[in-house]
């Protein structure tokens, strides 16, 4: 699932931007919802999910302690 989402932690990716994290969240929401772009009546829920997953992903990446190697 979501094969196009890249790993966003070192050593796979050194310089992760907020845009990288949001793009991964958007891909995830698109995959699980089945919508590339939601209809107007679903846009608020879609956008809220992207923001929630972006925030959770940022928190996860900040909390991870990588010990080297892959």
């Amino acid at each position: 699932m979501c094969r196009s989402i890249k790993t966003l932690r070192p050593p796979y990716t050194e310089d992760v931007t907020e845009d990288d994290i949001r793009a991964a969240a958007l891909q995830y929401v698109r995959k699980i919802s089945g919508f590339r772009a939601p209809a107007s009546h679903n846009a608020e829920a879609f956008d809220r999910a992207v923001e929630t997953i972006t925030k959770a992903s940022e928190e996860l990446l900040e909390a991870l302690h990588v010990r080297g190697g892959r």
Side-chain angles (χ1 to χ4, degrees):
M1 181 172 151
C2 299
R3 291 185 183 131
S4 62
I5 297 175
K6 65 181 181 177
T7 302
L8 296 178
R9 69 161 179 84
Y12 301 97
T13 305
E14 292 299 326
D15 297 316
V16 178
T17 66
E18 186 176 326
D19 288 340
D20 293 328
I21 297 170
R22 188 176 191 297
L26 178 59
Q27 280 296 95
Y28 178 76
V29 171
R30 285 176 173 167
K31 183 69 171 185
I32 64 169
S33 71
F35 296 118
R36 172 146 175 70
S40 60
H41 62 275
N42 289 325
E44 184 180 338
F46 191 92
D47 293 342
R48 189 171 50 247
V50 171
E51 293 308 315
T52 299
I53 294 167
T54 298
K55 185 176 190 292
S57 298
E58 289 170 341
E59 291 172 1
L60 170 65
L61 291 170
E62 289 173 9
L64 291 177
H65 299 281
V66 180
R67 291 186 179 185
R70 290 185 177 201

